[in-house]
Amino acid sequence: MILQFLLSALFLITGISADESPDITVIVRGSDLLAEVDDSFVCATLDWWPPEKCNYNQCPWGQASVLNLSTGLFGFSQGCLSLARWDELNLLFEKGGAIITFGLNALNGRDSLDNGMWVGNWNSTNSREFIEYTISKGYQVDSWEFGNELSGRGVGARVSAEQYAQDVIELKALLKELYRDSHTKPILVAPGGFFDQQWYAQLLQDSGLGVVDALTHHVYNLGGGDDSHIESKILNPWYLSQTATDKFRNLQLTIERHGPWSRAWVGEAGGAYNSGNRQTKTGLMKLSALLWHRLMGKGVLSIDMSGSSYLRAYALCAKRKSGITLLLINLSTSIKFSVTVRNDLNVLLAEGGGIQWGNAFIRTLKRTVSWIGRKASDESVHREEYHLTGADGNCLSQTVLLNGNPLELVDGEIPQLVPVYAPANSPVKVDPLSIAFVVFPNFEAQACSS
Ligand SMILES: *[C@@H]1O[C@H](CO)[C@@H](O)[C@H](O)[C@H]1NC(C)=O
Ligand SMILES: *[C@@H]1O[C@H](CO)[C@@H](O)[C@H](O)[C@H]1NC(C)=O
Ligand SMILES: *[C@@H]1O[C@H](CO)[C@@H](O)[C@H](O)[C@H]1NC(C)=O
């Protein structure tokens, strides 16, 4: 199983200033809701690859595949999901309370040309039978995804957008028919490929109103898994920002213009392609995904930040309680920072409404005000901190420390994730190359209560 932490999708809210300063002030605008994320904002993908799938002299998949393929001598192409295996998987999904998106083979029935193009109509027979079986067993599928990496120039295979549009129309009709008596109505997501503006626009336009409910695309902005510079890329704030933002903006525009009924999803992400890079599937990523689920609500808050590009900050409403959760990522190996968190409510009060978000102002502010909530009693309030680091100071380690203690499965179960407490108004210290989730239970954020 590869856990895909959608860090790159968080492009929305990072504040980066040109000059680097060790004193960081994060001002959270508690009344300014920037966006809402889905409950399933961070997800995991179960892939098909067998133990024999290797890239760059590594074979990272082991027994992690969704099916234990009985491969022939070389091919993985023989792999079939047996109904018995599907039953087993659904038992697992049910136990874990998983929300399932299942990807259907969109090449079935087509013919391939020499140039990688696949032509002809999709044959839906096998998908129909599979979905019928799924419904008959009462297995819950939240969304059916059509195809994998066939858009634009494709990866190994591609299909034209016009043809794809015809096929998603057929799949939509199929879902409507098969789920007509069902109280759940799974959505259709497509195409799960690399973003190509023209291809995506055409797909939306030709398939038409309400057919593609979510437009999925894959983000592997770190390039190939054999890149020896991968560590420096992961830690380079400019690289991380630059590679994602243009694409997300274009995707958003494409949806607005050609299919406003559709939502934008990142179907796969998390770093490097071709089985990723073992360095990008670290313990840190897995635990971050888990903590995200436990601590992050849906509302994304706007922040203002001054200081260093090497500290990334994201503020969301806390999950199922009042207050906010701040995610801080320290990409630095050397800069000494200290992070002060403020509520813009107080900034407004303190400055009589005349705000200036420049550095000079923020520096004076730091000396003059120091509270999170509005009430004097808030001074005594504590925040919860979850600091994640790699073992032995190695952020790429598989072993992860939570607040300094190694986190290990206990009888196959995830141990309790225990925070440390600190006075809410003291500066937050985030270790080099580490990730911190910080919950401010008393932070007044209007946008979170409405
Ligand atoms: C997966 O396949 C391997 C051999 O490739 C086998 O040893 C193992 O028992 C299989 N596991 C499951 C769960 O089928
Ligand atoms: C689709 O596939 C099924 C089963 O694999 C086959 O029986 C059927 O003839 C195919 N349909 C078309 C239109 O090729
Ligand atoms: C980030 O790591 C650097 C490197 O050691 C450290 O000096 C700095 O204090 C850390 N930043 C924060 C916000 O704690």
Side-chain angles (χ1 to χ4, degrees):
M1 181 162 80
I2 166 176
L3 270 163
Q4 296 167 326
F5 187 43
L6 305 186
L7 268 188
S8 38
L10 286 169
F11 69 101
L12 282 169
I13 30 176
T14 174
I16 285 188
S17 76
D19 60 332
E20 302 294 319
S21 151
D23 290 327
I24 311 266
T25 302
V26 177
I27 297 176
V28 178
R29 298 175 176 233
S31 51
D32 191 1
L33 193 68
L34 204 61
E36 285 209 332
V37 295
D38 285 339
D39 281 329
S40 43
F41 183 65
V42 177
C43 5
T45 302
L46 287 169
D47 224 312
W48 302 88
W49 301 116
E52 294 83 5
K53 158 79 172 170
C54 305
N55 294 97
Y56 320 122
N57 300 321
Q58 294 176 23
C59 312
W61 292 97
Q63 301 296 321
S65 164
V66 71
L67 35 103
N68 244 38
L69 297 179
S70 54
T71 54
L73 258 189
F74 297 109
F76 323 119
S77 52
Q78 320 269 335
C80 273
L81 178 65
S82 68
L83 293 182
R85 182 79 181 144
W86 184 229
D87 293 339
E88 277 171 27
L89 285 168
N90 275 283
L91 214 63
L92 174 75
F93 299 156
E94 212 179 287
K95 263 196 205 155
I99 299 168
I100 300 303
T101 298
F102 190 90
L104 299 167
N105 180 358
L107 287 178
N108 204 20
R110 303 190 208 277
D111 298 311
S112 69
L113 304 180
D114 287 344
N115 59 5
M117 180 66 111
W118 288 61
V119 296
N121 292 331
W122 172 60
N123 185 332
S124 61
T125 307
N126 183 254
S127 288
R128 168 186 282 273
E129 286 169 358
F130 182 67
I131 297 170
E132 274 171 348
Y133 177 80
T134 302
I135 296 171
S136 76
K137 297 292 256 188
Y139 299 149
Q140 300 296 316
V141 172
D142 169 83
S143 30
W144 294 96
E145 184 172 51
F146 187 65
N148 181 62
E149 300 186 349
L150 301 170
S151 55
R153 278 174 295 158
V155 177
R158 66 199 149 92
V159 173
S160 76
E162 292 86 346
Q163 176 66 56
Y164 220 85
Q166 292 315 303
D167 301 326
V168 288
I169 292 172
E170 179 173 351
L171 176 58
K172 188 75 175 194
L174 188 71
L175 293 178
K176 212 166 168 182
E177 178 199 332
L178 299 182
Y179 282 96
R180 65 187 178 277
D181 299 326
S182 172
H183 61 279
T184 54
K185 311 279 178 202
I187 63 168
L188 190 162
V189 308
F194 290 99
F195 178 62
D196 174 304
Q197 189 158 13
Q198 226 178 345
W199 197 100
Y200 272 62
Q202 185 105 44
L203 172 66
L204 282 175
Q205 214 164 290
D206 287 13
S207 57
L209 181 67
V211 172
V212 177
D213 300 298
L215 204 59
T216 39
H217 81 287
H218 293 179
V219 180
Y220 286 100
N221 56 343
L222 295 174
D226 59 342
D227 188 338
S228 54
H229 301 298
I230 206 136
E231 189 172 344
S232 59
K233 280 185 182 172
I234 294 173
L235 298 178
N236 181 334
W238 295 278
Y239 185 86
L240 294 175
S241 301
Q242 151 246 313
T243 50
T245 31
D246 285 353
K247 192 179 290 169
F248 286 118
R249 198 171 296 120
N250 283 338
L251 181 68
Q252 192 179 6
L253 282 176
T254 305
I255 289 180
E256 277 166 19
R257 286 198 198 126
H258 302 278
W261 55 83
S262 198
R263 282 180 289 156
W265 283 15
V266 174
E268 283 182 27
Y273 53 77
N274 271 344
S275 304
N277 177 302
R278 115 197 103 76
Q279 300 183 325
T280 62
K281 294 174 197 160
T282 64
L284 272 187
M285 289 297 165
K286 294 172 195 163
L287 188 54
S288 302
L290 187 60
L291 281 172
W292 182 288
H293 269 288
R294 300 218 175 147
L295 305 175
M296 295 301 211
K298 293 163 78 123
V300 182
L301 300 170
S302 156
I303 63 172
D304 281 287
M305 190 173 159
S306 75
S308 171
S309 318
Y310 285 91
L311 189 88
R312 319 278 283 199
Y314 310 93
L316 277 84
C317 299
K319 191 161 189 169
R320 283 187 222 108
K321 56 179 171 185
S322 63
I324 62 158
T325 305
L326 202 62
L327 168 60
L328 297 168
I329 304 175
N330 190 353
L331 296 172
S332 170
T333 52
S334 60
I335 312 168
K336 280 233 181 296
F337 306 117
S338 155
V339 184
T340 307
V341 180
R342 303 257 176 269
N343 191 332
D344 73 328
L345 215 62
N346 302 319
V347 177
L348 288 167
L349 292 176
E351 293 304 305
I355 321 170
Q356 191 197 328
W357 299 107
N359 282 343
F361 163 69
I362 284 170
R363 251 178 250 125
T364 28
L365 172 82
K366 196 170 171 275
R367 267 181 253 119
T368 51
V369 289
S370 138
W371 67 91
I372 294 290
R374 210 178 339 196
K375 307 176 203 83
S377 62
D378 289 345
E379 286 291 343
S380 61
V381 164
H382 284 66
R383 61 174 187 245
E384 290 170 24
E385 298 186 2
Y386 302 81
H387 292 270
L388 315 183
T389 44
D392 307 319
N394 173 14
C395 63
L396 304 175
S397 167
Q398 284 300 327
T399 308
V400 61
L401 311 182
L402 173 62
N403 297 323
N405 303 312
L407 208 67
E408 269 143 16
L409 294 184
V410 183
D411 300 327
E413 302 279 328
I414 298 162
Q416 260 203 318
L417 305 178
V418 186
V420 291
Y421 295 89
N425 292 321
S426 58
V428 185
K429 300 283 180 207
V430 190
D431 277 352
L433 307 180
S434 80
I435 295 175
F437 287 84
V438 186
V439 185
F440 294 89
N442 279 54
F443 195 104
E444 287 181 42
Q446 268 174 28
C448 297
S449 48
S450 55

